[in-house]
Amino acid sequence: MKDTLRQIPSLKAPLPECDPLALPDTPQDAFALWLHDALNAGIREPHAMTLSTVDENGWPDARMLILKNLDERGWHFAVKAESPKGRQIENRSHVALTFYWSALGRQVRLRGPAIMLSDSECAEDFLDRPVSSRASAIASRQSEILEAGEGLESRMAEAQALIAANPDYVSPGWRVYAVAPVVAEFWQGASDRNHKRLRYVLSGDSATWDRSLLWP
């Protein structure tokens, strides 16, 4: 396996040049700039991200989600309250987000508290989803053991019927969180391993950001 892994190329040239100090003053604006670069480069699903949480035993947990929105409050994502990630966030709100765009050799890492948005925003997010996605969210008991003979199809049919009869129905456990980072790091990889890294650190309660270049 070691030989196989060593033969897989990584950070192949050409990769974009990057002057970290030329990035905008806030991580939100810097992220928006890099996201548009990823879109222009034709990267599929550049809004996919890894959400990392910690369980009740202190064990880290991670999974891929889709970024829902970005504003001054932070990076938004949606979960079911009764899911493992929903329960973990309820118990320990500090999380991490990671984005990686391999074709550009770029990575963005964020750490901070996940803050639940208002009930109206959670409802709006749920109702904006396609009917099939809403039905799946209602029907699924996410990450629970699926016992033999349990009828997932029948639960989906019941959920679809519920939505058809009540188009404005919102799953009671639907949650949308915004991660308000206290630290954000933008990493530009290089084929010669002379990577460039810029760290944003929130300065107290002033809502201003201190920026520092880091060693590769």
Side-chain angles (χ1 to χ4, degrees):
M1 178 58 72
K2 181 172 70 174
D3 290 340
T4 298
L5 293 173
R6 287 186 178 278
Q7 290 172 14
I8 300 173
S10 61
L11 295 175
K12 288 188 65 176
L15 294 174
E17 292 293 326
C18 175
D19 176 4
L21 292 178
L23 287 173
D25 292 335
T26 70
Q28 285 92 337
D29 288 341
F31 181 87
L33 181 66
W34 275 21
L35 179 67
H36 283 103
D37 286 348
L39 287 167
N40 291 334
I43 293 174
R44 295 180 62 184
E45 297 188 343
H47 56 339
M49 61 187 184
T50 301
L51 166 67
S52 300
T53 54
V54 177
D55 70 10
E56 66 277 9
N57 298 312
W59 286 58
D61 210 347
R63 75 289 288 163
M64 298 299 295
L65 294 181
I66 294 296
L67 180 67
K68 292 288 188 174
N69 192 17
L70 172 64
D71 59 21
E72 70 282 355
R73 295 172 295 178
W75 282 249
H76 300 200
F77 62 90
V79 303
K80 295 179 68 172
E82 64 271 23
S83 68
K85 55 185 172 290
R87 295 195 301 269
Q88 290 167 6
I89 292 169
E90 182 68 22
N91 290 328
R92 303 185 184 203
S93 64
H94 284 80
V95 305
L97 299 177
T98 307
F99 296 83
Y100 181 56
W101 303 306
S102 61
L104 297 174
R106 286 179 175 175
Q107 179 179 189
V108 179
R109 301 168 56 229
L110 310 157
R111 291 192 298 166
I115 300 168
M116 194 175 81
L117 303 188
S118 67
D119 290 344
S120 62
E121 288 179 282
C122 294
E124 180 183 1
D125 178 86
F126 187 82
L127 294 173
D128 280 346
R129 295 167 65 87
V131 171
S132 59
S133 296
R134 282 183 272 160
S136 177
I138 294 169
S140 173
R141 297 195 293 250
Q142 192 175 99
S143 297
E144 292 185 17
I145 295 173
L146 181 62
E147 301 288 354
E150 284 193 299
L152 178 59
E153 293 80 6
S154 62
R155 288 180 62 87
M156 282 291 293
E158 291 170 1
Q160 290 168 342
L162 174 63
I163 293 171
N166 303 276
D168 293 330
Y169 178 82
V170 176
S171 178
W174 195 252
R175 302 284 186 268
V176 179
Y177 288 93
V179 177
V182 294
V183 178
E185 183 180 308
F186 288 72
W187 183 91
Q188 173 64 69
S191 299
D192 61 2
R193 293 338 191 235
N194 187 23
H195 313 309
K196 295 181 174 64
R197 299 166 66 189
L198 180 69
R199 178 184 292 165
Y200 293 80
V201 177
L202 193 61
S203 178
D205 297 326
S206 62
T208 60
W209 295 91
D210 295 327
R211 304 194 308 161
S212 301
L213 288 174
L214 305 179
W215 282 87

